[in-house]
């Protein structure tokens, strides 16, 4: 293993640059170079770790022999779980441990070079503005971006029937946030929506919130109460509320 600690970043900007380089290398291993990474993680070999370097390169190798090591070590033995689970789940697991390792290295430098409270906060905020490796590998980062646009894309759909977008992927009933400019439709539906109560919390319909209707009991729910976002709703063909999902099918 080389380049793991070829230099010691001493400022917030240098530590963040180090973090980004290591992160880019590990993302490369788990995405564009995933076939090569998969092959290198042979379960027949000894405990292996995934390292990311400031140069945006990655390496699968044995852990450092020094005790204690010069830098915090990544998760040990990632190769042993490779054949015991689905590939996507295994990659997600490696991604989670990689995120934890990157944070530990960054704040190791912070502690070593005496970052004060303001420096640590600045470093965390800079890191927090980037998607986690886990989010990149699982596609959650893209979904979060889509979710922000989904709310605005749904504002023109006011009825409790199927979405006007005509997409077969969203036949369930949704009540998106109300478009303030859509006065004509709003006036016709204000009465009906004002009397709609959430089946989970019992609160009234609010024009600035996303709602979804259960296709079984036809009760309406705040998306946040049943943990359904507009982006997730797009992929639900038939929505069942928690109560209907827990009911046993009758013979």
């Amino acid at each position: 293993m080389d380049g793991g600690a070829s230099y010691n970043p001493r400022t917030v900007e240098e530590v963040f640059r180090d973090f980004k380089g290591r992160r880019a290398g590990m993302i490369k291993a788990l995405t564009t170079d995933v076939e090569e990474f998969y092959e290198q993680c042979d379960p027949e070999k000894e405990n292996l770790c995934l390292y990311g370097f400031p140069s945006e390169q990655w390496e699968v190798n044995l852990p450092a022999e020094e005790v204690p090591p010069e830098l915090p070590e990544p998760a040990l033995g990632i190769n042993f779980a490779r054949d015991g689970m689905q590939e996507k789940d295994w990659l997600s697991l490696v991604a989670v441990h990689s995120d934890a390792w990157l944070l530990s290295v960054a704040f190791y430098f912070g502690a070593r070079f005496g970052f004060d409270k303001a420096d640590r906060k600045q470093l965390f905020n800079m890191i927090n503005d980037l998607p986690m490796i886990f989010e990149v590998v699982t596609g959650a980062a893209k979904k979060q971006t889509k979710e922000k646009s989904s709310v605005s894309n749904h504002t023109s759909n006011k009825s409790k029937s199927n979405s006007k977008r005509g997409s077969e992927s969203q036949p369930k009933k949704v009540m998106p946030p109300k478009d303030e400019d859509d006065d004509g439709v709003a006036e016709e539906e204000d009465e009906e929506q004002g009397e709609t109560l959430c089946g989970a919390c019992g609160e009234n319909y609010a024009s600035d919130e996303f709602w979804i209707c259960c296709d079984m009991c036809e009760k309406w729910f705040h998306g946040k109460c049943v943990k359904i976002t507009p982006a997730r709703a797009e992929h639900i063909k038939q929505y069942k509320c928690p109560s209907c999902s827990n009911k046993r099918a009758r013979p």
Side-chain angles (χ1 to χ4, degrees):
M1 179 178 61
D2 60 359
S6 57
Y7 72 98
N8 290 323
R10 295 174 180 270
T11 67
V12 172
E13 290 73 19
E14 288 176 347
V15 172
F16 181 60
R17 194 180 308 121
D18 179 273
F19 176 92
K20 286 200 302 181
R22 296 177 189 274
R23 172 180 174 275
M26 302 180 94
I27 289 176
K28 192 181 300 181
L30 298 173
T31 55
T32 57
D33 296 347
V34 68
E35 291 184 8
E36 181 183 354
F37 170 69
Y38 187 89
E39 290 178 3
Q40 290 190 26
C41 292
D42 186 351
E44 298 300 321
K45 296 182 179 179
E46 297 183 40
N47 292 315
L48 295 176
C49 303
L50 172 61
Y51 292 90
F53 300 130
S55 60
E56 300 188 5
Q57 301 301 311
W58 61 273
E59 180 181 61
V60 172
N61 210 333
L62 296 172
E65 295 181 359
E66 308 91 62
V67 179
E70 185 174 356
L71 288 177
E73 284 291 298
L76 183 68
I78 58 173
N79 51 315
F80 295 148
R82 191 195 72 176
D83 295 343
M85 55 201 306
Q86 294 290 329
E87 181 177 346
K88 65 177 182 179
D89 294 331
W90 175 66
L91 292 174
S92 297
L93 180 63
V94 176
V96 168
H97 284 291
S98 298
D99 282 316
W101 179 66
L102 288 176
L103 285 172
S104 68
V105 171
F107 282 89
Y108 163 82
F109 285 130
R112 180 176 178 182
F113 297 114
F115 286 9
D116 60 18
K117 181 177 180 180
D119 289 335
R120 295 194 302 271
K121 182 177 181 180
Q122 180 186 357
L123 176 60
F124 177 80
N125 288 338
M126 293 170 74
I127 291 174
N128 200 41
D129 283 338
L130 296 174
M132 296 189 300
I133 295 178
F134 173 79
E135 293 173 328
V136 174
V137 171
T138 60
K142 292 182 179 179
K143 290 178 183 177
Q144 289 176 5
T145 303
K146 287 182 179 179
E147 182 179 329
K148 292 179 181 178
S149 61
S150 292
V151 175
S152 59
N153 288 339
H154 284 76
T155 54
S156 59
N157 302 319
K158 291 303 177 199
S159 66
K160 294 183 181 180
S161 59
N162 294 339
S163 171
K164 293 181 180 179
R165 299 175 72 181
S167 171
E168 294 181 359
S169 63
Q170 192 186 349
K172 69 268 156 207
K173 302 173 182 177
V174 296
M175 188 186 293
K178 182 166 59 179
D179 189 341
E180 294 179 358
D181 296 331
D182 195 1
D183 294 334
V185 178
E187 289 177 2
E188 296 176 4
E189 298 190 355
D190 273 346
E191 259 184 41
E192 182 181 2
Q193 293 175 354
E195 297 174 357
T196 302
L197 300 179
C198 173
C201 69
E203 295 295 327
N204 287 323
Y205 168 81
S207 61
D208 60 346
E209 295 179 308
F210 172 78
W211 283 54
I212 188 167
C213 180
C214 174
D215 289 305
M216 304 303 292
C217 65
E218 296 192 348
K219 290 182 180 178
W220 286 84
F221 299 86
H222 289 109
K224 63 182 181 181
C225 289
V226 290
K227 298 181 179 179
I228 299 292
T229 63
R232 183 179 175 188
E234 291 184 9
H235 303 287
I236 301 176
K237 292 183 178 180
Q238 185 182 54
Y239 174 67
K240 291 183 181 181
C241 68
S243 178
C244 291
S245 296
N246 292 332
K247 289 181 182 177
R248 295 183 179 180
R250 296 180 179 177

